[in-house]
Amino acid sequence: MDRTAVEQRAPGGLAVIRHWISTFWPAPVLVDTRERARAFAGAGIGILLTAWLGLLLPDPAGLWLVAPLGASAVLVFAVPASPLAQPWSVIGGNTISALVGIACVLLIPDQRLAAAAAVALAIALMFPLRCLHPPGGASALFAVLSHQTEFSFALTPVLFNSVVLVLAGIVYNSLTGRRYPHVQLSPASTGLLLSRFTSSDLDTALAHYNQVLDVSRDDLEELLHHAELAAYHRNLGELRCSDVMSTQPIAVEFGTTLRQAWALLREHRIKALPVIDKSRRLVGIVTVADFMRHVDLDAHDEIGARLRSLVKLSGLTHSDKPEVVGQIMTRQVRVASDDRHVMELMPLFSDGGHHHIPIIDAQNRLVGIITQTDLMRALYKAVRP
């Protein structure tokens, strides 16, 4: 390969190397200063209490505090929601691993092989016993490196240290607003009815992922629901009525005959007609329900004939029968301005029983209408991939 070709390929190669090196730099931990202070203060208090009580116990070997407990403190106080930091994980993981380490010292003369076997077997046991705890591997290794041959070492200081640290974690985390033990609860409802995944979907995804996560399954589900809700609000929350309304709605005037209004409803397959004046200002709304109110619905036969009679012009100058839209329309109309957020209309459709809301501009002129169909279309666009 000539020199020119090498020079042409060098920038790309350097970019690959830089990208590879950048993968070693971790992402920032997204907690504020207050949470960080809470974590390191708790860890310090927990270790201090454990060490102080450990010194009160008689121990022939002089061991009153084991090093792996420092790692346990990180989990208990910094990430108390982690499945790896729960009381049984700390106590069972450290104690069982220490027992495994002692057994390996007694059974395997070569310290190197004993160390490897102790860590491997400790992990193998922590899985089925549901006490997977990273510092447990350190407890097994510590037992081998310090050549512990008495099983009492797993009781004092390992078990004793672990119990004291867990008790300190329960008190401290509770006082500082953290749930510990972090009992798994059903995820709170997010209010997002159009959620695109279920609990069984998450279980399928986790089975496919097939790796240990340092977050509980229920917490993960709740986080995903909150993320979906945030995306939902981002997509729909910024939408205004002018973005989703049906523009140039079919409207009628006060003097429009009932026959003409009914024909428009039938022709366009709609259920409501805004009623406007000459300046397109809203004065009412006429709906299919308004027509039905003037038909005797108690008599179930010949409803069609009675409706035809209602919309038929009488030809009289004076009549008790309504002839025009203004005589049967609803005058009190729920409206919304075109710059109003669509999210604010949700309660009107879901709880208020509205099926259509006229939209007006700053001059109170009719500029559009939002129906349930328009709202569903906006919801679909907000949650689709």
Side-chain angles (χ1 to χ4, degrees):
M1 182 180 295
D2 58 24
R3 181 176 179 181
T4 303
V6 173
E7 290 176 349
Q8 289 176 345
R9 293 186 59 183
L14 291 175
V16 171
I17 294 173
R18 285 197 297 269
H19 175 72
W20 179 75
I21 293 175
S22 69
T23 60
F24 289 88
W25 184 246
V29 179
L30 301 179
V31 295
D32 58 21
T33 304
R34 181 178 179 180
E35 174 60 19
R36 297 181 188 189
R38 191 201 68 82
F40 71 69
I45 294 172
I47 292 296
L48 178 63
L49 180 63
T50 305
W52 179 71
L53 292 177
L55 282 172
L56 299 180
L57 292 179
D59 183 49
L63 289 173
W64 47 274
L65 188 67
V66 288
L69 211 67
S72 296
V74 174
L75 291 171
V76 171
F77 296 96
V79 282
S82 169
L84 308 179
Q86 299 314 297
W88 170 239
S89 296
V90 177
I91 297 172
N94 282 332
T95 306
I96 291 168
S97 297
L99 290 170
V100 170
I102 296 167
C104 289
V105 169
L106 296 174
L107 298 174
I108 305 175
D110 189 311
Q111 191 178 45
R112 293 166 297 183
L113 293 177
V119 174
L121 290 174
I123 295 173
L125 279 176
M126 285 189 285
F127 268 115
L129 294 177
R130 300 185 181 184
C131 58
L132 189 64
H133 186 59
S139 294
L141 185 60
F142 180 79
V144 173
L145 296 180
S146 60
H147 200 71
Q148 298 296 325
T149 58
E150 299 293 334
F151 285 104
S152 59
F153 168 77
L155 300 179
T156 56
V158 177
L159 175 60
F160 180 79
N161 286 171
S162 300
V163 170
V164 173
L165 187 73
V166 163
L167 292 175
I170 292 173
V171 174
Y172 183 83
N173 284 314
S174 299
L175 291 176
T176 56
R178 295 294 179 268
R179 183 156 45 97
Y180 187 81
H182 194 78
V183 180
Q184 297 308 307
L185 304 174
S186 299
S189 174
T190 61
L192 183 56
L193 299 179
L194 299 179
S195 180
R196 289 173 293 168
F197 73 91
T198 64
S199 293
S200 60
D201 294 331
L202 179 60
D203 291 336
T204 301
L206 290 173
H208 176 74
Y209 186 70
N210 196 32
Q211 294 185 44
V212 176
L213 292 176
D214 194 13
V215 60
S216 71
R217 177 234 175 269
D218 292 336
D219 284 346
L220 177 61
E221 181 175 0
E222 187 172 5
L223 283 171
L224 290 175
H225 278 301
H226 280 298
E228 189 173 36
L229 183 60
Y232 170 78
H233 279 291
R234 174 174 52 81
N235 292 330
L236 188 61
E238 296 304 317
L239 285 178
R240 300 184 183 273
C241 291
S242 57
D243 299 321
V244 302
M245 69 183 184
S246 297
T247 58
Q248 298 180 345
I250 301 169
V252 294
E253 295 184 357
F254 186 98
T256 302
T257 65
L258 296 183
R259 176 182 290 276
Q260 291 173 319
W262 183 254
L264 287 173
L265 291 171
R266 294 286 301 275
E267 178 184 355
H268 297 281
R269 297 182 180 180
I270 54 180
K271 297 181 179 180
L273 292 168
V275 183
I276 56 176
D277 61 15
K278 299 296 183 181
S279 301
R280 290 194 64 81
R281 288 185 173 86
L282 196 70
V283 296
I285 192 169
V286 62
T287 68
V288 172
D290 292 321
F291 280 88
M292 294 299 104
R293 274 198 299 270
H294 288 79
V295 175
D296 185 9
L297 295 179
D298 292 333
H300 298 291
D301 58 330
E302 299 182 353
I303 292 179
R306 292 196 300 276
L307 184 58
R308 285 192 294 272
S309 176
L310 173 67
V311 301
K312 183 180 178 180
L313 292 174
S314 66
L316 303 175
T317 56
H318 296 83
S319 174
D320 293 334
K321 185 181 79 69
E323 300 277 342
V324 298
V325 166
Q327 293 175 283
I328 70 168
M329 71 179 185
T330 301
R331 297 178 181 273
Q332 299 296 326
V333 187
R334 172 75 72 172
V335 299
S337 59
D338 56 354
D339 61 348
R340 189 174 180 181
H341 286 96
V342 174
M343 286 290 292
E344 298 177 21
L345 302 186
M346 292 293 190
L348 299 179
F349 283 96
S350 62
D351 302 327
H354 288 76
H355 301 280
H356 24 253
I357 298 179
I359 307 301
I360 58 176
D361 62 11
Q363 287 74 42
N364 295 322
R365 292 191 297 259
L366 180 71
V367 293
I369 191 168
I370 291 181
T371 66
Q372 289 178 324
T373 302
D374 296 320
L375 191 62
M376 291 303 298
R377 186 182 300 113
L379 286 171
Y380 172 71
K381 290 180 179 179
V383 300
R384 71 179 179 181

